Amino acid sequence: DVKVTQSSRYLVKRTGEKVFLECVQDMDHENMFWYRQDPGLGLRLIYFSYDVKMKEKGDIPEGYSVSREKKERFSLILESASTNQTSMYLCASSGLDRADEQYFGPGTRLTVT
Amino acid sequence: TQLLEQSPQFLSIQEGENLTVYCNSSSVFSSLQWYRQEPGEGPVLLVTVVTGGEVKKLKRLTFQFGDARKDSSLHITAAQPGDTGLYLCAGDVNNNNDMRFGAGTRLTVKP
């Protein structure tokens, strides 16, 4: 059974804190993605990675960075959390072709106070 | 503005009714996917359509890709409470492996 896991389901952080969101997949997928999901806006791509140590900006990379040191793990970093980063964060992975089916984790609901 | 516009944004119906939701764009897609997301979970792929005019059926769900590959519809026959969820479409713009998601249609089926 394929699996994408995220380190936390719920997270509450204070403004200015550094936040790490971890994602692990067990399917040996090349591509991994980080999205945020907000009501009425759907899923917006923050960053994606197509290989270890490789990354590309998505539509809304400002205020975020990512790290992919190992194929199975993709981390999203909020260097200095702000209240407008309160959101649901979803990680996904897919095979060689980015248009392949994406497998999603359960999401992390982050609240920044 | 969204690359993919989904309508309606919300839909609440009684069990047994039929419904259709839409995914529209001015862009041409080489492929289009439909996902369903249940509360507290990530989206799960339902179907991928790749050919203009293609129709795919998944039990009570019928998916259609427009002839011009700019739009798609999802029709559910005899909806059940288990169909409740957020339905998202995602399109691969111009076959450059760049998937974009719509905002979704939130469906509630009341028993």
Side-chain angles (χ1 to χ4, degrees):
Chain A
D1 197 18
V2 298
K3 213 165 191 178
V4 178
T5 56
Q6 295 183 229
S7 50
S8 305
R9 293 298 293 264
Y10 300 93
L11 210 51
V12 180
K13 295 291 182 180
R14 291 189 182 274
T15 300
E17 280 193 82
K18 191 167 185 176
V19 182
F20 292 87
L21 302 183
E22 303 283 341
C23 175
V24 177
Q25 51 98 0
D26 65 0
M27 294 162 282
D28 200 36
H29 279 163
E30 284 73 19
N31 298 314
M32 295 188 76
F33 309 83
W34 274 106
Y35 296 90
R36 62 177 284 177
Q37 184 175 28
D38 300 288
L41 296 176
L43 275 70
R44 292 180 292 166
L45 182 65
I46 304 171
Y47 268 98
F48 76 94
S49 169
Y50 51 90
D51 202 351
V52 174
K53 296 191 188 293
M54 307 304 287
K55 62 186 179 185
E56 283 194 25
K57 294 179 180 179
D59 294 327
I60 51 164
E62 297 78 19
Y64 304 94
S65 62
V66 290
S67 172
R68 191 156 179 213
E69 296 297 319
K70 293 185 178 181
K71 190 175 186 180
E72 68 270 19
R73 190 179 297 269
F74 192 34
S75 303
L76 179 69
I77 303 145
L78 287 66
E79 295 290 341
S80 177
S82 63
T83 54
N84 63 12
Q85 292 178 310
T86 291
S87 187
M88 170 69 84
Y89 289 88
L90 288 163
C91 173
S93 72
S94 73
L96 271 174
D97 190 328
R98 279 185 60 196
D100 285 348
E101 174 178 2
Q102 293 190 31
Y103 294 86
F104 285 84
T108 295
R109 185 164 294 283
L110 173 67
T111 302
V112 183
T113 61
Chain B
T1 55
Q2 295 272 352
L3 183 62
L4 290 115
E5 296 287 341
Q6 290 193 245
S7 61
Q9 189 175 358
F10 299 96
L11 186 58
S12 180
I13 60 171
Q14 292 296 133
E15 182 176 2
E17 291 184 15
N18 302 331
L19 66 111
T20 303
V21 298
Y22 301 92
C23 175
N24 296 303
S25 177
S26 57
S27 298
V28 175
F29 298 104
S30 57
S31 66
L32 194 139
Q33 298 172 338
W34 283 94
Y35 289 79
R36 180 170 68 212
Q37 184 179 18
E38 298 185 19
E41 302 295 331
V44 176
L45 182 70
L46 295 172
V47 77
T48 301
V49 286
V50 295
T51 306
E54 182 176 4
V55 176
K56 280 193 174 178
K57 291 189 183 237
L58 188 66
K59 297 184 181 177
R60 293 175 294 100
L61 278 60
T62 302
F63 304 85
Q64 184 157 9
F65 201 14
D67 291 340
R69 306 205 320 273
K70 293 182 177 182
D71 55 83
S72 181
S73 63
L74 159 58
H75 181 79
I76 302 179
T77 304
Q80 298 177 1
D83 296 327
T84 292
L86 180 68
Y87 289 82
L88 295 157
C89 65
D92 174 14
V93 182
N94 294 326
N95 201 27
N96 66 358
N97 292 336
D98 193 6
M99 297 298 289
R100 288 291 183 264
F101 282 82
T105 293
R106 189 166 296 280
L107 172 67
T108 303
V109 182
K110 301 175 192 174

